[in-house]
Amino acid sequence: MSYDNVCKFLAETFAADLATWLLGESIALSKLEPSELSLEPIRADSLIFLESENLVLHIEFQTAPDEQIPFRMLDYRLRLYRRFPQKVVRQFVIYLRRTQSPLVYQSQFELEATHHRFNVIRLWESAVAPLLESPGLLPFAVLGQTSNPKEVLERVAQRLSAIDERTEQSNLMAASGILAGLILDQQTIQQLLRQETMRESSFYQAILEEGKQEGRKEGRQEGRQEGRQEGRQEGRQEGRQEEASSLVLRLLTRKLGIISANLQNQITQLPLPALEILSEDLLGFSTLEDLLSWLQTHQLSGQ
């Protein structure tokens, strides 16, 4: 599950919290499916549409600069006008990761006589205090304007521990841990957030289950083939190994991007117990350096 999808989950589940923060007032909002706006396939992995009777709130989450953002915001605004000509539309691009790119300061699209403006929020410039006031905003707090993100995550952990509803607590704990990976190392995150609670989260289960389902299929196929050639027992063992390594590589690719062939080879050579540990620890990774450090810790080459 990407950072974008974690943000989408928070926006859908805690829409009132997001609306209060972005719009300055509490509005009852429901999810608007992007398919209702589609003329052509819509880029739905990083955006969320929420609507009320008189308003549509369009939020786009970005971890990295994208030169297509201004045009995309105009494109979606026109689609929304075609579908809801009477509704007010408020558009926000929320950048999660600190960057010096001038692209994150673009808040309008211009083409000859066409001018379209939208709102831009750079989380690293946003005050932390408002993000600590509502449950649905807590996972974003560590990315706010602070010189000490570890201290902010400690405060987030304290507030999360006070949430009585277990499912809400575990989901917010997992979301906080995943987003904190953009700015803190996994060891710090694991020290501050309860791992056993995070593992109960639907985020964590969704990440693992999707990879496991694909891995099981490949593992069974590999296991049957090896079983015919070298015996059922060896085939089952190699099937489990293939399943685990396939899962880990998929999760790492989603989390960090392209993994080099050298690193892929190192990971596929890990014993099954190590792969199982890595499948949990990688949730806290934010860069390839975190992966290299993990491999070095487990007495592997860090190349």
Side-chain angles (χ1 to χ4, degrees):
M1 182 175 292
S2 67
Y3 297 115
D4 294 334
N5 285 336
V6 171
C7 293
K8 286 176 63 177
F9 171 84
L10 292 171
E12 293 172 13
T13 308
F14 300 94
D17 292 348
L18 268 291
T20 301
W21 178 48
L22 297 175
L23 305 176
E25 58 181 317
S26 180
I27 301 176
L29 297 167
S30 59
K31 182 181 178 182
L32 170 65
E33 294 295 341
S35 59
E36 295 190 38
L37 309 176
S38 297
L39 298 177
E40 297 177 356
I42 197 166
R43 182 182 181 273
D45 58 334
S46 67
L47 61 87
I48 180 71
F49 297 105
L50 301 169
E51 65 172 329
S52 68
E53 182 178 354
N54 300 311
L55 177 142
V56 174
L57 175 60
H58 166 204
I59 308 172
E60 180 129 6
F61 296 100
Q62 290 289 127
T63 54
D66 185 342
E67 62 182 7
Q68 294 299 315
I69 284 290
F71 171 75
R72 201 154 64 231
M73 299 305 282
L74 171 62
D75 183 27
Y76 293 150
R77 181 62 185 91
L78 293 175
R79 297 188 194 205
L80 287 164
Y81 178 77
R82 183 178 291 108
R83 179 71 176 81
F84 306 107
Q86 304 303 321
K87 288 191 177 185
V88 174
V89 175
R90 299 291 301 277
Q91 293 180 294
F92 291 84
V93 180
I94 301 178
Y95 289 99
L96 305 175
R97 193 199 300 266
R98 180 187 295 271
T99 175
Q100 299 299 320
S101 172
L103 294 177
V104 302
Y105 292 88
Q106 293 182 350
S107 60
Q108 62 182 359
F109 176 84
E110 296 186 3
L111 178 64
E112 298 175 348
T114 299
H115 303 274
H116 176 64
R117 299 187 64 85
F118 51 91
N119 299 286
V120 172
I121 292 178
R122 295 171 291 276
L123 270 178
W124 59 92
E125 297 176 358
S126 299
V128 169
L131 300 174
L132 293 171
E133 293 178 358
S134 304
L137 302 178
L138 287 174
F140 296 110
V142 70
L143 304 179
Q145 187 178 41
T146 178
S147 60
N148 191 347
K150 179 180 178 181
E151 188 272 336
V152 173
L153 190 60
E154 289 176 342
R155 294 167 66 185
V156 169
Q158 292 173 358
R159 283 165 170 76
L160 291 173
S161 65
I163 296 176
D164 294 329
E165 209 285 311
R166 187 68 174 182
T167 299
E168 178 177 309
Q169 182 190 61
S170 63
N171 285 336
L172 288 173
M173 189 84 69
S176 299
I178 292 171
L179 292 182
L182 287 166
I183 196 170
L184 293 172
D185 62 86
Q186 58 146 340
Q187 184 175 1
T188 299
I189 295 170
Q190 291 176 356
Q191 287 174 348
L192 298 178
L193 299 178
R194 297 200 300 270
Q195 295 300 298
E196 66 277 8
T197 303
M198 292 177 62
R199 293 188 186 107
E200 296 176 10
S201 163
S202 60
F203 290 129
Y204 183 83
Q205 296 302 325
I207 291 172
L208 290 186
E209 187 58 32
E210 183 176 350
K212 284 180 179 180
Q213 288 178 356
E214 296 179 5
R216 287 191 190 104
K217 181 178 179 181
E218 295 181 6
R220 286 195 297 269
Q221 293 173 345
E222 181 70 14
R224 286 195 294 269
Q225 181 178 356
E226 293 296 324
R228 288 192 297 268
Q229 295 174 353
E230 302 179 18
R232 293 176 180 171
Q233 181 60 37
E234 183 178 348
R236 285 194 294 269
Q237 180 62 31
E238 294 195 9
R240 290 194 294 270
Q241 181 78 15
E242 177 72 16
E243 172 187 338
S245 61
S246 175
L247 164 64
V248 168
L249 288 173
R250 281 179 170 80
L251 295 179
L252 285 170
T253 299
R254 291 190 178 187
K255 188 79 171 177
L256 304 178
I258 297 174
I259 306 298
S260 68
N262 186 22
L263 283 174
Q264 288 188 41
N265 184 59
Q266 291 186 49
I267 292 166
T268 57
Q269 298 303 314
L270 287 171
L272 186 58
L275 286 169
E276 292 174 345
I277 294 173
L278 179 55
S279 71
E280 298 183 358
D281 289 350
L282 65 83
L283 292 177
F285 293 175
S286 58
T287 65
L288 282 173
E289 285 70 25
D290 293 329
L291 174 60
L292 293 173
S293 176
W294 190 96
L295 293 172
Q296 289 173 342
T297 300
H298 289 74
Q299 298 181 341
L300 294 173
S301 171
Q303 299 178 353

